[in-house]
Amino acid sequence: MPRTLVLRGATAVTGSLALAASLTACAGSSPAGSADSKGAEKVVTVYSADGLKSEKGDGWYDRVFADFTKKTGIEVKYVEGGSGEMVQRAVRERTNTQADVLITLPPFIQQADGKGLLQSYVPQGADKVNGADKSTDGKWTSVVNNYFGFVYNKKELPEAPKTWEELLDARYKGKLQYSTPGVAGDGTAVLIKSMHDFGGKEPAMEYLKKLQANNVGPSSSTSKLAPKTDKGELLVANGDVQMNFAQSKSMPNLGIWFPAKEGGKPTSFALPYAAGLVDKAPHSENGKKLLDHLLGEEAQRLVSEVGGGFPARSDIKPTDANAIELTKLMTGVEIFEPDWADIDKNLTGYVDAWKSATGS
């Protein structure tokens, strides 16, 4: 959730920043650096995990950013990457801050807070966000709720796999891939869910070691796995509900499922897109306005209809076709709440254990 708790898609922390090599104007037509009558720049820069913006220009970000620019005259500049990558980029730019708003998935939003990258700001509408989906000190709040999941190719697999154990079958050799834990939000989610489902770190690592025989290899971006699955290059990959549901509208072979441990129930956990105002943001006031807009009633009502996700505000109860379909999708899935304090504290150790187990 993440896309990214979600932990949603991400790109390599130490890898290429090609996807976000330059600031990309995502809304508005005013030239970069334009200013209002008081001389303030009419621009806001967003660093975000992938999943909410569409290549076709019809994603939730595309819509709400355009609405924001129309309403305020403030141009949105958008940089997309993995959850971990966006945090690390902000760390490297600490002495010359570029981002105004950071949107990423747990545990990376907590990591950003722990590194002192965020300043306190409680957006309008945050009082309608459940306590588990925002920080107690106002450093971040969820703007789109989401859940971790997997995808499969419906053409090649008439029925979705049901268990983790099924994925060890030889039919999945070279046809299975998950994004890199510690780098991608959804990749980190693989660790979190497997540790929950298998009952701890050691049995989870034992399983992931076996699964490595079928794994294609590392992927810095979760969002790239769905197209491969839709085309049949992969049979199974990880993802998250919001991103994959939105992708499925143009990928007819893409199905969403939730692995269970053999003999158990399918499980998932919340993986929200969480947003915070960057410390020493160059356009702090514009960042505050954007955060207010993202949590506004109008933008929140578009989360399911346009973005394929779940509103962060508990008072928004969508009834559109997507909302109904999403409710059916989550029926029967047991939702657990990870110990985010433990994950934030021990993430490096968990990732190192995964690297050791898989030889990654």
Side-chain angles (χ1 to χ4, degrees), residues 13 35 51 53 56 72 98 138 147 265 273 346 352:
V13 173
K53 188 179 185 299
K56 296 183 178 181
T72 65
Q98 300 295 310
Y147 295 92
K265 296 180 179 180
Y273 291 87
N346 297 304
D352 286 346

Side-chain angles (χ1 to χ4, degrees), residues 88-352:
Q88 291 304 316
R89 178 164 178 163
V91 168
R92 290 193 297 273
E93 296 172 348
R94 194 191 296 270
T95 59
N96 183 27
T97 306
Q98 300 295 310
D100 300 301
V101 172
L102 177 67
I103 304 176
T104 187
L105 306 174
F108 296 101
I109 192 68
Q110 292 92 337
Q111 185 183 87
D113 187 12
K115 292 179 179 295
L117 295 176
L118 306 176
Q119 59 175 298
S120 181
Y121 177 67
V122 179
Q124 296 175 24
D127 59 316
K128 305 297 184 182
V129 176
N130 291 329
D133 297 327
K134 60 186 178 184
S135 66
T136 57
D137 59 1
K139 294 293 184 64
W140 58 267
T141 184
S142 298
V143 293
V144 172
N145 278 345
N146 192 16
Y147 295 92
F148 178 60
F150 274 63
V151 292
Y152 73 103
N153 182 290
K154 294 191 293 185
K155 182 179 180 181
E156 299 294 331
L157 301 174
E159 291 187 5
K162 291 181 173 60
T163 68
W164 288 103
E165 287 82 359
E166 285 182 58
L167 301 182
L168 299 177
D169 190 276
R171 73 179 301 184
Y172 294 104
K173 186 174 180 63
K175 291 285 188 175
L176 177 151
Q177 190 173 20
Y178 60 90
S179 51
T180 308
V183 172
D186 287 333
T188 305
V190 172
L191 287 187
I192 294 170
K193 177 171 159 58
S194 61
M195 287 192 293
H196 171 271
D197 290 359
F198 286 95
K201 182 179 75 172
E202 296 307 322
M205 299 308 155
E206 182 178 343
Y207 168 79
L208 292 172
K209 180 178 181 179
K210 296 176 182 176
L211 185 66
Q212 193 66 12
N214 289 342
N215 187 17
V216 171
S219 172
S220 60
S221 175
T222 311
S223 63
K224 294 181 178 180
L225 301 183
K228 292 181 180 180
T229 305
D230 179 64
K231 294 174 184 176
E233 295 175 24
L234 299 173
L235 292 178
V236 170
N238 69 318
D240 62 75
V241 173
Q242 177 278 322
M243 177 174 65
N244 296 143
F245 185 85
Q247 290 172 317
S248 69
K249 298 302 180 180
S250 60
M251 299 179 189
N253 297 321
L254 199 66
I256 300 173
W257 68 291
F258 305 90
K261 186 179 184 299
E262 200 167 70
K265 296 180 179 180
T267 68
S268 183
F269 60 97
L271 199 60
Y273 291 87
L277 186 66
V278 176
D279 186 47
K280 298 181 177 63
H283 310 100
S284 182
E285 292 305 310
N286 295 346
K288 292 176 181 178
K289 291 177 182 178
L290 179 60
L291 290 171
D292 291 344
H293 182 77
L294 295 179
L295 273 181
E297 287 191 29
E298 184 178 353
Q300 287 292 298
R301 292 188 188 282
L302 295 174
V303 168
S304 58
E305 180 183 348
V306 176
F310 305 82
R313 287 177 53 153
S314 60
D315 62 327
I316 303 297
K317 309 291 185 182
T319 57
D320 58 90
N322 283 351
I324 294 171
E325 193 173 345
L326 285 164
T327 298
K328 290 180 180 178
L329 178 66
M330 300 304 298
T331 300
V333 180
E334 184 178 277
I335 305 300
F336 66 92
E337 184 174 340
D339 184 344
W340 290 111
D342 170 75
I343 294 167
D344 184 39
K345 179 181 179 181
N346 297 304
L347 179 60
T348 299
Y350 294 146
V351 173
D352 286 346

